[in-house]
Amino acid sequence: MWDKESFRRAFIVYFDKFTQTVATDAGDWVIKGFIDVYQNVYTISVDTKVISKLVELMLIPIISQFAKRYDYEVVLAKYQNYYPDITLIAPDDTLIAIDLKSTYRASSKSVSGFTLGAFTGYFRDRSSTKNIMFPYGEYAAHFVLGIIYTRTEAEIEEQITYTL
């Protein structure tokens, strides 16, 4: 039988892997840009949507490794605006929602904020299938993996293309 607290403890063990995936020990991003087939490197934009998607793409394989280790099936959201980003299905068919959220520090004591979903939709109607992978009420637990990053003060040169 699936146990929420055991899941939470096991998932926390993977936090170090999450951190190592996105940042160096010094705290620098491991991704410095996008590369095309001609080996041109384009800098990462300051656009929060781009950064959020990069973080998501980097963490999904780690979450998938976690899932494989504990025999969970992984179901990714079909569409960008679907909740959650990842559904894990336990061996006993228990549904677990994993939502990835990222934001930047606005100051040393505050962050820009997270959006957690449309209150007018599946939060109210727990049996709704609109913009959600499975009805909200069928999930045994909902976990948010929040990523908070510090934006660089340095000027990002988006007009320059680098080559390898």
Side-chain angles (χ1 to χ4, degrees), residues 12 20 29 33-34 36 41 46 50 52 63 67 69 78 80-81 87 97 111 124 129 139 141 143 154 160-162:
I12 287 173
Q20 293 166 357
W29 288 91
F34 302 99
D36 66 18
V41 179
V46 295
V50 171
S52 292
I63 294 169
R69 178 175 178 183
K78 289 182 187 177
Q80 179 181 347
N81 63 339
T87 297
V111 298
R124 285 190 179 182
T129 56
Y139 285 92
F143 292 90
I160 297 175
T161 301
Y162 301 91

Side-chain angles (χ1 to χ4, degrees), residues 93-105:
D93 292 328
T94 299
L95 298 177
I96 303 105
I98 307 286
D99 212 27
L100 305 174
K101 298 293 181 186
S102 63
T103 191
Y104 58 90
R105 287 179 180 83

Side-chain angles (χ1 to χ4, degrees), residues 106-119:
S107 71
S108 63
K109 296 181 181 181
S110 67
V111 298
S112 176
F114 292 114
T115 57
L116 292 177
F119 183 69

Side-chain angles (χ1 to χ4, degrees), residues 63-77:
I63 294 169
S64 295
Q65 289 172 8
F66 168 84
K68 185 176 182 177
R69 178 175 178 183
Y70 292 97
D71 295 322
Y72 290 100
E73 178 185 344
V74 176
V75 179
L76 301 178

